[in-house]
Amino acid sequence: MSASHVRRGAPARPKQKPASRVSKRTAASHRRANRIAGLAFITFLLVIGVVVLVALDIPSKAAVSAGAAIDRAGFTVTGYQIVGLNRMNRKLVDGVIVDELRRASDESGSGRPAQPLVDVARIRDRLLQFGWVKDARVSRRLPDTLVIDVVERRPAALWQDKQRLALIDADGVVLDRVPVDQMPDLPLLIGPGANGQANLLNRLMSEVPTLKPQLASATWIGQRRWDLAFQTGETVALPEGEDASRKALARFAKVDRSAGLLGRGLVRFDLRIPGKMIVRLPRAPGEAIIAAPAEG
């Protein structure tokens, strides 16, 4: 029997059909689902681990242990330096720093504030709550010193409201209370909300340099306009609105330079009507100037 006969007599092998696209897609989906499930399980374990660490307070204990080790190595805060104070009461800054050093000492358990346990950000945040402090930077000078660099606000005026006096800066931020018998030589802003309009007043007066040094006080009337009182005793009533006030004050300054309006015994100049100036004279020749009641 020949080889050809043997091959012809052997049973024919069934042809394998190629896997369909649907089955391949199903297998890929299963593999992807398994990967996602594995990642989800690992994430779950990590979350459980973090929860356990937090519940046992392990991070804070590790930080305290590290702080204590650094304390033993000599990196403790034994002093601090304050830079930039001029007018602000130093005791206020001292109080903030001492409170934080005491807290760090208690946390370390050694009775000494380790450098890593002193929260410099907390010190800065507390300092920024004081009106005098415009900005502050707190840094560590290893091995044992803190440096507190304070940027103070500059007093620009006094604000009087409800018989109380306060120093304010050019932006109207209240810096400190001032006793009446210790008033500095600064312009006086009068009335509720007058401190919030300090920038507006500064802009108006900066455009009339001949009048600015003579300003004694400014009263914020009805939450909408200014009455300006000058050292020579006169009052200038400005209109509402910054643009109208600026134009009216510029005209008044021009006439004052040419004709000398201030210091001539007049009482009040009303500039509230556009293009006009209403002048109030003393009641009798030679009568002392008496400030007229503020009008709305």
Side-chain angles (χ1 to χ4, degrees), residues 94-293:
D94 287 334
V96 172
I97 301 170
V98 170
D99 281 350
E100 177 57 26
L101 294 181
R102 185 182 297 113
R103 186 202 62 78
S105 298
D106 294 341
E107 188 173 346
S108 69
S110 66
R112 295 179 298 180
Q115 278 278 20
L117 299 182
V118 176
D119 192 338
V120 295
R122 182 181 303 177
I123 294 175
R124 179 179 184 271
D125 289 342
R126 288 188 59 184
L127 291 178
L128 291 177
Q129 302 303 312
F130 296 114
W132 277 108
V133 180
K134 184 175 184 179
D135 199 2
R137 182 177 61 185
V138 184
S139 56
R140 310 177 198 272
R141 181 183 293 167
L142 297 178
D144 58 1
T145 305
L146 292 179
V147 178
I148 296 87
D149 191 356
V150 175
V151 179
E152 283 188 351
R153 298 181 188 272
R154 295 183 178 183
L158 286 164
W159 174 39
Q160 177 182 326
D161 182 32
K162 298 179 181 178
Q163 307 304 315
R164 292 182 299 179
L165 282 173
L167 275 175
I168 61 174
D169 72 349
D171 295 323
V173 177
V174 176
L175 308 181
D176 204 353
R177 295 295 179 185
V178 180
V180 176
D181 58 349
Q182 298 179 14
M183 290 177 57
D185 186 17
L186 291 171
L188 177 63
L189 278 59
I190 304 171
N195 64 313
Q197 302 299 319
N199 266 326
L200 169 60
L201 183 63
N202 289 333
R203 289 195 298 270
L204 293 175
M205 299 309 299
S206 64
E207 296 189 15
V208 285
T210 59
L211 298 179
K212 186 175 182 178
Q214 304 181 68
L215 181 67
S217 66
T219 303
W220 184 238
I221 304 295
Q223 298 288 330
R224 63 183 187 275
R225 66 172 196 83
W226 289 106
D227 266 4
L228 308 180
F230 291 88
Q231 296 173 4
T232 46
E234 301 88 350
T235 298
V236 175
L238 296 180
E240 298 179 29
E242 181 174 354
D243 187 57
S245 295
R246 184 176 64 253
K247 291 177 180 178
L249 196 55
R251 288 195 300 268
F252 181 84
K254 183 177 180 181
V255 177
D256 180 61
R257 288 194 301 269
S258 61
L261 296 176
L262 297 179
R264 296 181 60 181
L266 303 176
V267 175
R268 183 179 177 87
F269 301 92
D270 194 335
L271 310 180
R272 289 178 293 172
I273 301 176
K276 294 185 178 182
M277 180 189 301
I278 302 173
V279 180
R280 180 178 297 173
L281 303 174
R283 296 181 180 178
E287 182 180 348
I289 295 177
I290 301 175

Side-chain angles (χ1 to χ4, degrees), residues 56-69 117:
L56 296 177
D57 202 21
I58 290 177
S60 62
K61 291 178 181 177
V64 172
S65 299
L117 299 182

